[in-house]
Amino acid sequence: QVQLQESGPLLVKPSGTLSLNCDVSGGSISSTSWWTWVRQSPGKGLEWIGEISRSGSTFYNPSLKSRVAIFLDRSKNQFSLRLTSVTATDTAKYYCARETDYYQSGVYYRAFDLWGQGTMVTVST
Amino acid sequence: DIQMTQSPSSLSASVGDRVTIPCRASENIGSYLNWYQQQPGKAPKLLISAASSLQTGVPSRFSGSGSGTDFTLIISSLQPEDFATYYCQQSFNTPYTFGQGTKLEIK
């Protein structure tokens, strides 16, 4: 059974870089087409950050595009998030998730079907 | 970006009630709509994909309907474990976007 686990520093200084890893266990990271990062600010809704394919292609939320990068490390069976020039507004719970395509009536529909437990990252001095 | 609107932001109901949670997209997204349930402090859980396709293991009291811009999550008979926040999400194009959530509270 595939499981996801986020890891990384819980406290980042303003203007610094937020770096998180998502360890994939119970299966190969190459067996899934797309992996994604989502965040949730305290008391707020969910914001999609970006995604990476098993071949390394990436798409990012334009609201973060200049600051965000997502990487794949097949040797460690993990994918990673890097967010630069962070401010207090980047304080959030960060989730990694798996994207799965569901075939229905001749069309593929995508959803986030497996999530890590999330890790709370605070931006503060 | 496609805006997803969930209103109301909270809803009060009792165990056994039938509840409908609406979601509206700012443009036509076909059936590219997913529903998630989030319990406090937990990760979201996928309930329904493609607007109406129930995920394996999700109780049959949950159902989804709609296409285009208007969608509904229906819980036919509320159970105590259903009191949570529900989010809709469009997967029509990137950036994928979520509604602001509807919190289901005990009346």
Side-chain angles (χ1 to χ4, degrees), chain A residues 40 93 95 102 107 110 112, chain B residues 32 34 36 38 41 55 91:
Chain A
Q40 186 170 32
K93 193 166 189 179
Y95 295 98
Y102 297 92
V107 179
R110 181 164 295 172
F112 306 153
Chain B
Y32 290 86
N34 304 312
Y36 300 85
Q38 188 177 34
Q55 290 297 292
S91 60

Side-chain angles (χ1 to χ4, degrees), chain A residues 9-116:
Chain A
L10 305 184
L11 182 65
V12 182
K13 292 186 182 338
S15 77
T17 296
L18 182 157
S19 296
L20 294 173
N21 296 323
C22 181
D23 293 313
V24 179
S25 59
S28 170
I29 198 169
S30 297
S31 67
T32 291
S33 296
W34 292 89
W35 302 93
T36 203
W37 287 95
V38 175
R39 70 180 182 179
Q40 186 170 32
S41 302
K44 299 283 182 64
L46 298 158
E47 179 182 26
W48 179 74
I49 298 170
E51 63 184 358
I52 187 164
S53 75
R54 59 185 168 195
S55 64
S57 299
T58 54
F59 289 95
Y60 302 127
N61 193 323
S63 67
L64 301 168
K65 190 172 184 179
S66 62
R67 300 193 293 128
V68 68
I70 298 176
F71 306 94
L72 204 60
D73 188 333
R74 294 181 189 79
S75 66
K76 294 181 179 179
N77 216 40
Q78 70 180 198
F79 61 105
S80 304
L81 170 69
R82 187 179 70 191
L83 186 65
T84 60
S85 305
V86 297
T87 69
T89 59
D90 294 310
T91 292
K93 193 166 189 179
Y94 286 76
Y95 295 98
C96 59
R98 180 180 70 184
E99 298 183 20
T100 293
D101 289 334
Y102 297 92
Y103 188 71
Q104 181 174 300
S105 303
V107 179
Y108 283 100
Y109 296 93
R110 181 164 295 172
F112 306 153
D113 71 321
L114 181 68
W115 296 65

Side-chain angles (χ1 to χ4, degrees), chain B residues 13-33:
Chain B
S14 301
V15 172
D17 284 353
R18 181 179 187 273
V19 170
T20 60
I21 297 175
C23 172
R24 175 166 286 177
S26 60
E27 61 185 80
N28 187 341
I29 60 170
S31 295
Y32 290 86
L33 190 283

Side-chain angles (χ1 to χ4, degrees), chain B residues 18-105:
Chain B
R18 181 179 187 273
V19 170
T20 60
I21 297 175
C23 172
R24 175 166 286 177
S26 60
E27 61 185 80
N28 187 341
I29 60 170
S31 295
Y32 290 86
L33 190 283
N34 304 312
W35 287 99
Y36 300 85
Q37 176 194 64
Q38 188 177 34
Q39 300 285 1
K42 303 290 188 182
K45 173 188 175 184
L46 178 65
L47 298 177
I48 288 171
S49 62
S52 61
S53 183
L54 198 66
Q55 290 297 292
T56 302
V58 175
S60 59
R61 63 181 180 272
F62 290 92
S63 63
S65 66
S67 67
T69 59
D70 291 296
F71 302 87
T72 304
L73 174 69
I74 301 162
I75 310 173
S76 60
S77 178
L78 268 178
Q79 298 302 300
E81 60 269 29
D82 300 338
F83 291 95
T85 301
Y86 293 86
Y87 294 93
C88 60
Q89 176 241 336
Q90 65 82 16
S91 60
F92 182 71
N93 60 18
T94 60
Y96 303 126
T97 47
F98 294 84
Q100 284 302 105
T102 294
K103 185 175 182 180
L104 197 45
E105 298 173 315

